[in-house]
Amino acid sequence: MTRILSGLPAGAQALLLGTDWESLQHAYGSGEDIPLSLCSLVDEDPEVRSEALAALDMAVLHQGSLYTVTAPAVLFVAAILDHRVALAEHEGHFPWDDGPSRTLRAALLVWLGQVAESAAYGEDLVRERTDWQWEPWHDRARHEHDPDELAALHACREIRPALYDAVEPFLSSPDAHVREAALGAAVPLLTAPELADRVPQAATLLRARLGTGSGRRERASVARALGVWGMDTSDLLTDSDPAVRVCAALGPAQVDRPRALAVLLHALRDPQTTDGWFPEPLPGLDGWFRFTVLRSALALAETFEEVASVAVAIVAARGTSVVDFERGPILFRAFAGGYDPAHPLSSAQRDLLRAFVDTDDATGGIGRNTLWFRAAGLPDNREGIAALL
């Protein structure tokens, strides 16, 4: 550790020596062991570096949770992005780390992006409802934080300007994996209210990369980033690449809402092709890509009738629809505001509930969606739904 310390940038040294690590906490206790992990990130031994990054993932950002040790650890990582060892090839530590070969710098940027996403959680409820993992009961538990959790959250939000300053230069990196990782970090960072003035410059930089020389993955990532930041992506809704068109339609802001919704619904009619566009999820997205497309379509639709034909087809597809990421959100959108017995079911609502009843034996479409039915104010059993029809 002493040997490595002498080779660190001045800012990283100051953070390491000027932080009272013992007073901070991570997922497994005192932060007194974190300095060793941080120094090990730039060890000459690739296995040591890999284990160090895994330790940060497990302790400093455990399953997306923030701790009082997270903010200073993040600032340290940001300070070593230019370290010469950051150019070395990174070896994944976990069995599932089987993605493409990349540098340590790219791996560190990915980790910083994950921290930025956790810090942004809860700031924009409208945007978060388009997240493929959002569930109605998330909102009820959103504000239940203990004092240490709140302190960690505020600390991580306060450092976002400094973190973006460290990330921004790598948006223009000649290394495609580094550019992608940097964009994955920039997307949640630039949703922060205090960084709104940085968005136009970033958008101009990224739009220059939308030329035909860039591949599908990068162009689609740029289109999604522009939409997340609230930029007008209407021109990209007619792009020659269907994957770029869909990412431009994800929103949340849309100037050309009807065309954007049409693009999303068209993609949902052929989910196998849509999922095949990105075998490895785009930065900031997990799960099958169709889950994100569906959530965005449901949010963009002004009425359920606009999406009903596609939605009912998804529910009626035996054995292929997924409870929490497809059937449940569709049901909740169809009964926005909750089912009201005083009002008759619309034709679209009736068709949807009939699809649930007809496929229940094959898919568990009602029993497995109990929480979603309750959230929509509906009976949570087949007999109760059948009675409504």
Side-chain angles (χ1 to χ4, degrees):
M1 181 172 172
T2 302
R3 172 179 52 81
I4 292 174
L5 187 61
S6 63
L8 291 174
Q13 285 191 35
L15 276 164
L16 205 64
L17 298 176
T19 301
D20 182 7
W21 299 99
E22 291 185 7
S23 69
L24 304 176
Q25 296 287 315
H26 55 63
Y28 302 106
S30 171
E32 61 185 338
D33 58 337
I34 295 303
L36 179 57
S37 294
L38 294 174
C39 283
S40 297
L41 289 171
V42 291
D43 194 279
E44 297 292 343
D45 186 335
E47 190 171 324
V48 172
R49 296 196 299 267
S50 178
E51 291 176 353
L53 186 54
L56 294 189
D57 189 54
M58 291 186 292
V60 179
L61 188 67
H62 180 68
Q63 297 182 350
S65 296
L66 304 173
Y67 303 89
T68 52
V69 80
T70 306
V74 163
L75 290 173
F76 179 93
V77 170
I80 63 170
L81 289 174
D82 267 330
H83 195 282
R84 61 175 181 79
V85 176
L87 296 174
E89 186 171 314
H90 172 67
E91 296 183 2
H93 178 77
F94 300 108
W96 52 85
D97 290 339
D98 57 354
S101 176
R102 59 182 178 176
T103 62
L104 174 65
R105 176 178 292 159
L108 293 175
L109 283 165
V110 168
W111 186 78
L112 291 175
Q114 293 167 347
V115 174
E117 288 176 4
S118 292
Y121 183 72
E123 282 188 308
D124 188 334
L125 302 185
V126 174
R127 183 177 69 243
E128 285 177 12
R129 287 196 172 202
T130 64
D131 185 274
W132 69 282
Q133 296 185 91
W134 180 85
E135 296 168 334
W137 43 94
H138 281 177
D139 288 349
R140 291 195 290 270
R142 185 178 304 277
H143 302 295
E144 297 175 4
H145 296 290
D146 65 30
D148 283 347
E149 289 175 334
L150 283 174
L153 177 62
H154 292 318
C156 287
R157 288 179 176 177
E158 287 174 0
I159 65 171
R160 287 185 295 195
L163 181 53
Y164 182 72
D165 286 340
V167 167
E168 185 183 47
F170 299 105
L171 292 172
S172 303
S173 171
D175 184 326
H177 294 306
V178 169
R179 287 200 306 274
E180 178 174 300
L183 181 56
V187 169
L189 285 171
L190 290 186
T191 63
E194 66 272 21
L195 287 172
D197 62 331
R198 308 289 291 274
V199 170
Q201 180 179 334
T204 299
L205 173 66
L206 295 181
R207 274 195 170 274
R209 206 163 290 135
L210 286 172
T212 55
S214 300
R216 160 179 281 178
R217 185 176 180 86
E218 183 165 17
R219 298 181 71 246
S221 295
V222 168
R224 174 181 174 265
L226 295 173
V228 169
W229 295 335
M231 307 299 288
D232 183 6
T233 56
S234 298
D235 61 312
L236 299 177
L237 296 174
T238 57
D239 193 89
S240 59
D241 189 325
V244 175
R245 293 199 297 270
V246 168
C247 284
L250 293 178
Q254 280 298 338
V255 175
D256 193 343
R257 191 195 69 85
R259 179 178 291 178
L261 182 58
V263 167
L264 296 175
L265 293 177
H266 181 76
L268 291 170
R269 291 187 179 96
D270 187 5
Q272 187 173 4
T273 296
T274 300
D275 282 339
W277 290 335
F278 309 112
E280 181 184 353
L282 295 178
L285 299 179
D286 291 309
W288 292 110
F289 186 54
R290 71 178 188 272
F291 298 159
T292 294
V293 177
L294 175 62
R295 292 296 183 108
S296 295
L298 296 176
L300 196 57
E302 293 181 347
T303 66
F304 179 66
E305 281 68 21
E306 287 187 301
V307 297
S309 62
V310 171
V312 172
I314 290 173
V315 172
R318 294 174 180 267
T320 61
S321 179
V322 180
V323 174
D324 287 329
F325 309 135
E326 289 182 299
R327 289 196 300 262
I330 287 171
L331 181 74
F332 193 72
R333 179 62 185 84
F335 292 90
Y339 167 64
D340 183 356
H343 292 85
L345 295 174
S346 69
S347 176
Q349 290 172 330
R350 191 175 296 276
D351 288 344
L352 179 66
L353 293 182
R354 173 59 62 188
F356 272 101
V357 170
D358 290 347
T359 60
D360 192 41
D361 290 339
T363 66
I366 295 176
R368 291 175 59 201
N369 282 269
T370 298
L371 292 176
W372 287 99
F373 275 89
R374 291 175 183 171
L378 290 160
D380 60 8
N381 56 78
R382 191 177 190 277
E383 293 73 21
I385 296 300
L388 296 179
L389 299 174

